[in-house]
Amino acid sequence: MSVSVSLSSLPLSHQQNQLHAHHSLHSPPMSVLRRLTLPLPLHVHRRHHNSHSFNNHRLFSLVAAAAVRQDTAIWTQAPISLIETAAESLFHVAINVSDSPDLALSHTRAGQYVQLRVPEVEKPSFLAIASPPSQAAARGEFEFLVKSIPGSIAELLCGLRKGDVVDLSQVMGNGFDIDRISPPEEYSTVLIFATGSGISPIRSLIESGFSANRRSDVRLYYGARNLQRMAYQDRFEDWESSGVKIVPVLSQPDKSWTGETGYVQAAFSRAKRILSPKSTGAVLSGQRQMAEEVTSILVADGVSSERMLKNF
């Protein structure tokens, strides 16, 4: 194992988020691996002119913060232990961190992420950890769900093979703060929303356990273009047995599909069924427009924004 500290500056550009079915939250880097760019904060593009300078100040602050993260990243070399197809344009990638126990044990909460560099490319990407923290502790392995975008670092990563070595930063981010929707008896309804590869940190959340089976209503609205682009279908049965009702939502299904269609936010609006807003929490990961619209719907129905968890 070798460790190095990078002090190079971080080039940044405006995010072009493209998460198939609903593009694009994409929630900042923490939800999926993609090109290293800095998304505008959710408050940018407000309506009146006076907010413009404030939002520019926020953007500058976020740019500076991202540069600091890059400059102070501690890099650890680790080999790839698995690369395989997860769905159309999506890949399962596992990285062996068993020789770096401190790195493995620093993954403590679903929704955290790392930066990753592929060989001979200095520019890093952000990668949400899809596996639960217990897996890192028990097996010394991080798993990821990676969308291969032509011309991106993600595409380079998905082109590597088992045994190839990549650089990982320390684990970053606060992840999903489940304490904000605890205890389960008090927050009996949890609504989870994910689009595209934004399902990655949601898998970590579900498999980490958040007392779903002690809550009366836990739903996952999971959006993708079609079933061919929907990862983790082989895990749905286990997720449902843990207390999470899966609601797949397809924006471009084939003619045989009889489930929910359109966008996640529209499917939720049709269903709603929020019996007690004060006892309702939400988790959002994926496309930006989806997150904004779902947030607006929930707030209008009386759900506190303090009970809406995001991993960024």
Side-chain angles (χ1 to χ4, degrees):
M1 175 190 76
S2 66
V3 177
S4 62
V5 178
S6 169
L7 297 178
S8 60
S9 60
L10 179 63
L12 296 164
S13 61
H14 178 54
Q15 173 92 24
Q16 297 297 325
N17 297 305
Q18 299 295 329
L19 270 193
H20 38 284
H22 317 271
H23 321 302
S24 125
L25 169 85
H26 197 299
S27 53
M30 303 68 167
S31 26
V32 298
L33 172 68
R34 59 187 188 281
R35 296 170 235 197
L36 180 66
T37 51
L38 186 72
L40 290 174
L42 293 178
H43 297 86
V44 172
H45 307 308
R46 289 295 187 196
R47 288 163 290 285
H48 52 92
H49 179 74
N50 289 340
S51 67
H52 182 69
S53 60
F54 171 76
N55 287 320
N56 279 346
H57 176 73
R58 286 198 66 203
L59 176 58
F60 176 82
S61 299
L62 288 172
V63 168
V68 168
R69 285 200 302 270
Q70 162 68 359
D71 287 349
T72 59
I74 299 173
W75 298 101
T76 301
Q77 291 190 325
I80 293 172
S81 54
L82 174 71
I83 293 185
E84 64 180 17
T85 301
E88 186 178 319
S89 301
L90 294 170
F91 290 82
H92 293 300
V93 177
I95 298 178
N96 185 345
V97 293
S98 59
D99 286 342
S100 307
D102 289 344
L103 176 60
L105 293 175
S106 66
H107 182 210
T108 58
R109 183 183 280 178
Q112 291 180 302
Y113 65 98
V114 297
Q115 293 182 67
L116 178 145
R117 296 189 307 201
V118 298
E120 300 181 5
V121 178
E122 186 67 19
K123 181 180 177 181
S125 291
F126 289 87
L127 189 65
I129 302 173
S131 47
S134 58
Q135 181 167 317
R139 293 166 41 187
E141 186 176 69
F142 291 155
E143 290 186 8
F144 309 94
L145 181 66
V146 182
K147 182 175 182 180
S148 180
I149 301 172
S152 70
I153 296 174
E155 183 181 41
L156 297 176
L157 173 62
C158 295
L160 298 178
R161 298 181 179 181
K162 180 178 179 180
D164 287 341
V165 174
V166 297
D167 291 333
L168 294 181
S169 74
Q170 66 271 36
V171 175
M172 297 177 166
N174 295 322
F176 298 119
D177 185 4
I178 296 302
D179 289 343
R180 287 162 52 190
I181 54 172
S182 296
E185 294 79 13
E186 187 173 336
Y187 297 96
S188 57
T189 297
V190 175
L191 305 168
I192 307 172
F193 303 88
T195 55
S197 52
I199 193 65
S200 180
I202 298 302
R203 173 200 156 190
S204 182
L205 173 67
I206 294 173
E207 296 181 7
S208 296
F210 61 102
S211 302
N213 60 354
R214 294 168 57 193
R215 305 177 195 264
S216 60
D217 181 13
V218 180
R219 285 172 265 161
L220 166 59
Y221 290 88
Y222 176 14
R225 181 178 298 175
N226 51 47
L227 286 176
Q228 291 70 40
R229 294 200 174 208
M230 181 167 279
Y232 297 145
Q233 293 179 55
D234 58 329
R235 296 177 177 271
F236 286 0
E237 185 176 349
D238 287 341
W239 291 358
E240 292 220 335
S241 67
S242 73
V244 180
K245 176 179 172 58
I246 311 298
V247 184
V249 184
L250 305 183
S251 61
Q252 297 179 25
D254 60 32
K255 294 180 180 179
S256 65
W257 178 248
T258 59
E260 292 288 345
T261 60
Y263 292 162
V264 161
Q265 54 270 42
F268 172 63
S269 291
R270 290 191 294 268
K272 273 197 180 175
R273 301 196 314 272
I274 298 178
L275 299 179
S276 174
K278 290 185 178 180
S279 64
T280 298
V283 185
L284 300 94
S285 177
Q287 186 258 356
R288 174 169 303 202
Q289 182 179 348
M290 177 276 289
E292 291 179 336
E293 292 184 9
V294 167
T295 297
S296 296
I297 294 168
L298 291 173
V299 169
D301 283 347
V303 179
S304 170
S305 59
E306 291 299 311
R307 308 303 171 199
M308 299 181 200
L309 311 185
K310 302 171 185 177
N311 65 329
F312 59 89

